[in-house]
Amino acid sequence: MQSKPSTVRRIADKPFHIDREQVREAAKKLSDGAVTQGYKGNREEVVSMLNDALATELVCVLRYKRHYFTASGLENEPIKAEFLQHAMEEEGHANQIAERIVQLNGEPDFNPRRLSERSHADYDDSSDIKSMIRANLLAERIAIEAYRQMIERIGDDDPTTRHLLISIMAKEEEHANDMSDLLD
Ligand SMILES: [Fe+2]
Ligand SMILES: [Fe+2]
């Protein structure tokens, strides 16, 4: 069997030199903050997709909090604890996303009136525990698929945002798995 030539090898074979002119250019426009002229992403599109993700995370915080506070019954305590933990983790995601939007010189959209229309996943106010778990599993699966599409779209154009979205998506996969375990 013929082995495929390794890309890593080919890149390593060429001596690497920093493009010093490009680097000096980057040092000039201080008003652009973290965005240098070499940034390859479509900044406005990335900010807009991040704002949709921000809305999704905030709606997820609200849904998990609603479930945490309204689920009752001693036997449901471990499930409530899981809801609370997820709520806190979704809030962490929202913070990370808002921070990235600002780094990209964008405006994080926290306007409550726009949250549910921007969010990919839905709010839920079910009163029985099974419906809560099911609604959360559904929302997590939606979030995973939305992140997957965003990561694909960004490709290699914005490695920092890509890296952030991959780490958040991995957490959503854990969340989906937690909810799926609870349903069994
Ligand atoms: Fe999240
Ligand atoms: Fe999640």
Side-chain angles (χ1 to χ4, degrees), residues 64-73 80 125-127 132:
Y64 274 121
K65 285 230 169 158
R66 156 81 193 194
H67 291 172
Y68 166 70
F69 284 110
T70 58
S72 57
K80 283 179 64 135
D125 53 8
S126 302
S127 48
M132 291 179 190

Side-chain angles (χ1 to χ4, degrees), residues 49-115:
M49 72 167 79
L50 286 176
N51 264 319
D52 292 348
L54 175 62
T56 305
E57 295 294 347
L58 293 171
V59 166
C60 288
V61 172
L62 298 175
R63 195 189 58 251
Y64 274 121
K65 285 230 169 158
R66 156 81 193 194
H67 291 172
Y68 166 70
F69 284 110
T70 58
S72 57
L74 205 55
E75 72 282 7
N76 291 328
E77 283 303 318
I79 299 177
K80 283 179 64 135
E82 198 82 20
F83 289 164
L84 182 60
Q85 197 198 331
H86 285 202
M88 292 187 301
E89 284 166 350
E90 309 301 13
E91 194 183 346
H93 295 162
N95 293 342
Q96 288 176 296
I97 292 167
E99 194 174 17
R100 183 62 189 150
I101 291 170
V102 172
Q103 285 173 356
L104 290 171
N105 299 330
E107 304 251 6
D109 186 0
F110 281 96
N111 190 325
R113 252 182 267 130
R114 283 192 291 269
L115 285 190

Side-chain angles (χ1 to χ4, degrees), residues 90 140 172 175:
E90 309 301 13
E140 294 293 354
E172 310 306 0
H175 287 172

